[in-house]
């Protein structure tokens, strides 16, 4: 189990720039989630994929945010025209779909985004 | 809207003290419940989970949690904490058959040696 890998670990950018983060899930996991976590809060759900299909998006995910998982393996999260409020830790998690109750997720270390 | 409440934001204990962290959720349907732990500098890790059956579930490192449906609660307990339990603990709820997870705001536990 190599775990969930996220890249980069830290990203500092100026307001208005675009940023892209990558997540590599555990290889056999078909579900992939993106979360955002701000200081003093728990992870907030952003979006979720099953294989390559994006099945759900949170209202938190404005039109500046887009996520893809083109081949059902790694995923990217892009933020366009970044704003100060986008500063946060962006977490990726993966799980293996199974019949019955959902399976717990395995989290990556996150990408910390700082907007100057 | 569904929500998860963790009322203790910061808990400080001495080693060997008993621990109970509260978690309440607001959803009337069937839920799956989780506790995650985040040790300093590490990623979130699953501590224990409840899907069905015995409402008292045991997890790793001597932790346990009790699901009380009538109280919409899933409190985490440990009889005797250790310094190595210093971490942030998150309660999470998954609505059965929906693939969204709701997390509480976390409780920071500081165990003094």
């Amino acid at each position: 189990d190599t775990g969930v890998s996220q890249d980069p670990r830290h990203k500092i950018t100026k307001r208005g720039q675009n940023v892209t983060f990558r997540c590599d899930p555990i290889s056999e996991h078909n579900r992939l989630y993106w979360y955002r976590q701000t200081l003093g809060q728990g992870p907030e759900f952003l979006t979720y994929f099953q294989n390559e299909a994006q099945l759900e998006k949170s209202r938190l995910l404005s039109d500046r945010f887009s996520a893809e998982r083109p081949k059902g393996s790694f995923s990217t999260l892009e933020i366009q025209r970044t704003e100060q409020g986008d500063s946060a830790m962006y977490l990726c998690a993966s799980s293996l779909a199974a019949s019955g109750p959902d399976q717990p997720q395995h989290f990556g270390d996150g990408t910390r985004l700082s907007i100057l | 809207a569904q929500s998860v409440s963790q009322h203790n934001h910061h808990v400080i204990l001495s080693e060997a003290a008993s621990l109970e962290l509260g978690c309440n959720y607001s959803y009337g349907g069937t839920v799956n419940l989780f506790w995650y732990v985040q040790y300093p500098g590490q990623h979130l890790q699953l501590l224990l989970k409840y899907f069905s059956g015995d409402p008292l579930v045991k997890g790793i490192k001597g932790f346990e949690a009790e699901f009380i449906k009538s109280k919409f609660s899933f409190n985490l307990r440990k009889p005797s904490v250790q310094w190595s339990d210093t971490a942030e603990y998150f309660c999470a709820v998954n609505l059965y058959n929906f693939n969204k997870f709701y997390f509480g705001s976390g409780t920071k536990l500081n165990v003094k040696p």
Side-chain angles (χ1 to χ4, degrees):
Chain A
D1 180 358
T2 57
V4 177
S5 176
Q6 291 189 246
D7 183 67
R9 292 292 302 275
H10 299 96
K11 179 70 177 179
I12 302 172
T13 192
K14 292 182 179 179
R15 184 167 53 91
Q17 297 296 304
N18 299 344
V19 294
T20 300
F21 311 139
R22 176 179 170 123
C23 172
D24 287 88
I26 292 172
S27 58
E28 64 269 26
H29 285 184
N30 55 356
R31 288 185 178 167
L32 188 147
Y33 303 79
W34 284 100
Y35 292 87
R36 181 173 67 189
Q37 186 176 18
T38 53
L39 202 61
Q41 299 298 317
E44 294 176 290
F45 172 84
L46 292 179
T47 190
Y48 140 72
F49 290 84
Q50 177 143 332
N51 301 313
E52 66 275 8
Q54 187 175 18
L55 297 185
E56 192 153 358
K57 291 170 61 174
S58 165
R59 288 172 296 160
L60 293 173
L61 215 64
S62 76
D63 57 4
R64 296 185 298 106
F65 288 71
S66 62
E68 295 182 343
R69 195 182 183 199
K71 297 181 180 179
S73 56
F74 74 92
S75 175
T76 57
L77 177 68
E78 181 183 16
I79 310 174
Q80 295 182 324
R81 305 181 302 281
T82 52
E83 301 174 355
Q84 289 283 349
D86 297 332
S87 294
M89 177 74 85
Y90 289 85
L91 296 170
C92 177
S94 69
S95 68
L96 181 63
S99 58
D102 203 356
Q103 298 301 305
Q105 300 161 79
H106 297 254
F107 282 84
D109 290 329
T111 293
R112 183 170 295 284
L113 174 64
S114 298
I115 306 298
L116 301 177
Chain B
Q2 291 75 28
S3 67
V4 180
S5 298
Q6 291 183 243
H7 306 295
N8 313 104
H9 297 293
H10 198 176
V11 173
I12 301 173
L13 295 173
S14 298
E15 276 194 314
S18 64
L19 170 72
E20 181 160 2
L21 301 182
C23 173
N24 289 88
Y25 63 92
S26 62
Y27 181 69
T30 303
V31 295
N32 303 314
L33 299 157
F34 308 83
W35 276 97
Y36 283 85
V37 60
Q38 188 167 25
Y39 298 104
Q42 297 187 27
H43 57 262
L44 283 159
Q45 302 171 41
L46 182 68
L47 202 54
L48 49 77
K49 62 188 179 188
Y50 171 81
F51 287 169
S52 64
D54 188 344
L56 185 63
V57 293
K58 296 189 184 300
I60 60 172
K61 303 185 180 184
F63 285 91
E64 64 179 30
E66 184 176 13
F67 171 49
I68 303 179
K69 189 174 182 179
S70 61
K71 294 185 177 180
F72 299 90
S73 70
F74 189 57
N75 292 354
L76 181 71
R77 298 195 292 250
K78 185 170 184 179
S80 175
V81 294
Q82 300 173 317
W83 176 78
S84 58
D85 293 324
T86 294
E88 190 160 15
Y89 294 81
F90 293 92
C91 180
V93 174
N94 163 241
L95 310 183
Y96 186 76
N97 278 340
F98 290 89
N99 293 306
K100 287 178 69 171
F101 287 73
Y102 298 90
F103 283 79
S105 57
T107 298
K108 289 184 179 176
L109 172 65
N110 190 354
V111 180
K112 295 182 175 180

